[in-house]
Amino acid sequence: LDPYGKKCILSNVPISAVRGFRTTLFRKSRWSSQSSRSKRKFGPVDTQFEGVKVESGPIQFSKLWKPLGFTALISSGSFVCAAIWQYENVRARAIALIRKPGSLIHDRVYGVRKQGSWRNDVNTWWNGLSEGHRFFFPICFANCLVFLAWRVPRLQGTMVRYFCSNPASRAVCWPMVLSTFSHYSGLHLLANMFVLHSFSSGAVASLGKEQFLGLYISAGVISTMSSYLHKAVIKQPGLSLGASGAIMGVLGYVCTQYPDTRLSIIFLPFFSFPAGAAIKVIMTIDAAGVLLGWRFFDHAAHLGGAAFGIAWSYWGNAYIWQKREPLLRWWHDLRDGSTK
């Protein structure tokens, strides 16, 4: 590999397509038949990154209990943290209103003045954004940092190990989260961030920034778990990375919650279609990809993320998020007790 190039070929190991629209990180190789697949010996495989090996081996369902438990922990924990974060935000605003009535309204209308003209310009621009777009930029920044980290040769071993999900790896849990923020190809990053930017305003307006973050993180982890299960079924290890599993969760929620919203393709703005039909078509394509063994995308991860977003739209928001009062009461009592 040229570390500064655009392609990395892992010889001798089949690589799953990424969870994204396109990337040139790994070029897949196929085994000729099921019989040759069963006879193949597994072990660490050299990559074109100097000194970097990819762990490869048979994926047993018994080895998936750990990532399954991690998925449940991160998914539930993300919504618990989101609920507590929302409580703290509401509490802080209430205290500010009591101490300085009208200050929040003044700050929202006029913004907080900063020293220096450029800081005032940035502050004016920031205050003019929707809450969804203000929440989008930190996520985009984190993805860009990881994208740049891929370009540092000394970090490539860490990136392959922890920022690519691989069910055959010894590091099988944390990559389920970290790979959601990982892109090697600039086109892959650009496409995912464009879609997230397009849907973040509507999703945050509907859910609030706290619940949106819980949905995003949970969809990312659940999409990776779906990819692990699919690879275990077909008995073919591989690497995946990208934010599109999490983005598909957002897409599934928005398209289900607002099915009559008209969407269009960036290169065909004159052609529009309802969001409800769009998510059905996307999931049908991904289902076909899973059944037919297409390898360009990680279709199983897409399906897992979208299914979670749809489920959250129908049941999660009503039967989980809206039932968080006991948690908030417990946190309120714990917080008050700790401050006495």
Side-chain angles (χ1 to χ4, degrees), residues 149-206:
W150 274 105
R151 268 66 199 162
V152 181
R154 297 182 66 178
L155 295 179
Q156 287 166 352
T158 300
M159 301 304 293
V160 170
R161 184 176 179 85
Y162 291 103
F163 287 83
C164 291
S165 62
N166 177 13
S169 173
R170 285 175 293 177
V172 73
C173 289
W174 282 113
M176 299 177 76
V177 177
L178 298 178
S179 65
T180 301
F181 297 88
S182 180
H183 302 80
Y184 184 86
S185 164
L187 180 60
H188 184 198
L189 173 65
L190 180 64
N192 275 346
M193 293 302 101
F194 173 80
V195 176
L196 181 60
H197 181 271
S198 301
F199 285 87
S200 58
S201 274
V204 172
S206 175

Side-chain angles (χ1 to χ4, degrees), residues 17-331:
V18 296
R19 295 192 306 271
F21 293 88
R22 182 184 175 111
T23 185
T24 55
L25 172 57
F26 299 117
R27 186 177 292 167
K28 61 182 179 292
S29 61
R30 295 181 183 274
W31 295 340
S32 58
S33 67
Q34 182 69 28
S35 59
S36 63
R37 190 178 307 170
S38 62
K39 295 178 181 178
R40 187 179 182 92
K41 293 183 178 180
F42 292 90
V45 177
D46 289 327
T47 72
Q48 297 298 320
F49 291 109
E50 184 178 356
V52 179
K53 294 181 181 290
V54 171
E55 294 162 332
S56 178
I59 307 170
Q60 304 293 336
F61 281 100
S62 59
K63 295 182 179 180
L64 296 182
W65 286 110
K66 184 177 179 180
L68 182 61
F70 184 81
T71 300
L73 177 64
I74 294 299
S75 299
S76 57
S78 63
F79 283 110
V80 168
C81 292
I84 293 174
W85 181 29
Q86 186 184 65
Y87 169 89
E88 293 294 334
N89 286 339
V90 173
R91 182 188 179 103
R93 286 196 294 267
I95 292 174
L97 281 174
I98 292 173
R99 291 177 178 176
K100 294 181 180 181
S103 61
L104 290 179
I105 297 176
H106 179 274
D107 291 344
R108 180 167 294 183
V109 175
Y110 300 102
V112 179
R113 301 295 294 176
K114 305 285 186 181
Q115 293 183 356
S117 59
W118 70 271
R119 294 185 66 188
N120 284 326
D121 292 340
V122 171
N123 191 59
T124 300
W125 166 78
W126 182 259
N127 289 328
L129 296 175
S130 67
E131 188 174 34
H133 287 161
R134 286 201 298 268
F135 202 70
F136 159 79
F137 282 105
I139 296 177
C140 181
F141 180 70
N143 280 271
C144 290
L145 284 181
V146 177
F147 172 76
L148 293 176
W150 274 105
R151 268 66 199 162
V152 181
R154 297 182 66 178
L155 295 179
Q156 287 166 352
T158 300
M159 301 304 293
V160 170
R161 184 176 179 85
Y162 291 103
F163 287 83
C164 291
S165 62
N166 177 13
S169 173
R170 285 175 293 177
V172 73
C173 289
W174 282 113
M176 299 177 76
V177 177
L178 298 178
S179 65
T180 301
F181 297 88
S182 180
H183 302 80
Y184 184 86
S185 164
L187 180 60
H188 184 198
L189 173 65
L190 180 64
N192 275 346
M193 293 302 101
F194 173 80
V195 176
L196 181 60
H197 181 271
S198 301
F199 285 87
S200 58
S201 274
V204 172
S206 175
L207 295 166
K209 61 183 180 181
E210 301 88 357
Q211 188 184 174
F212 172 84
L213 182 61
L215 173 67
Y216 188 84
I217 297 296
S218 298
V221 177
I222 289 171
S223 69
T224 306
M225 189 67 223
S226 301
S227 176
Y228 282 3
L229 289 170
H230 177 246
K231 289 168 185 173
V233 169
I234 64 176
K235 298 181 179 179
Q236 188 169 343
L239 304 179
S240 296
L241 75 166
S244 58
I247 294 171
M248 284 296 294
V250 176
L251 218 66
Y253 174 84
V254 172
C255 292
T256 304
Q257 195 74 9
Y258 306 103
D260 297 326
T261 300
R262 305 297 296 184
L263 304 178
S264 61
I265 302 173
I266 183 173
F267 300 111
L268 301 171
F270 53 86
F271 176 69
S272 64
F273 42 86
I279 192 63
K280 293 175 183 177
V281 171
I282 293 172
M283 293 187 71
T284 299
I285 294 173
D286 283 321
V290 169
L291 295 175
L292 299 177
W294 297 346
R295 305 284 293 156
F296 191 62
F297 300 135
D298 192 336
H299 296 282
H302 284 189
L303 282 176
F308 177 74
I310 293 171
W312 191 259
S313 175
Y314 280 117
W315 303 289
N317 187 38
Y319 296 106
I320 298 178
W321 185 257
Q322 300 300 333
K323 306 293 184 181
R324 68 191 185 281
E325 184 178 350
L327 169 66
L328 298 180
R329 189 182 300 112
W330 169 81
W331 176 253

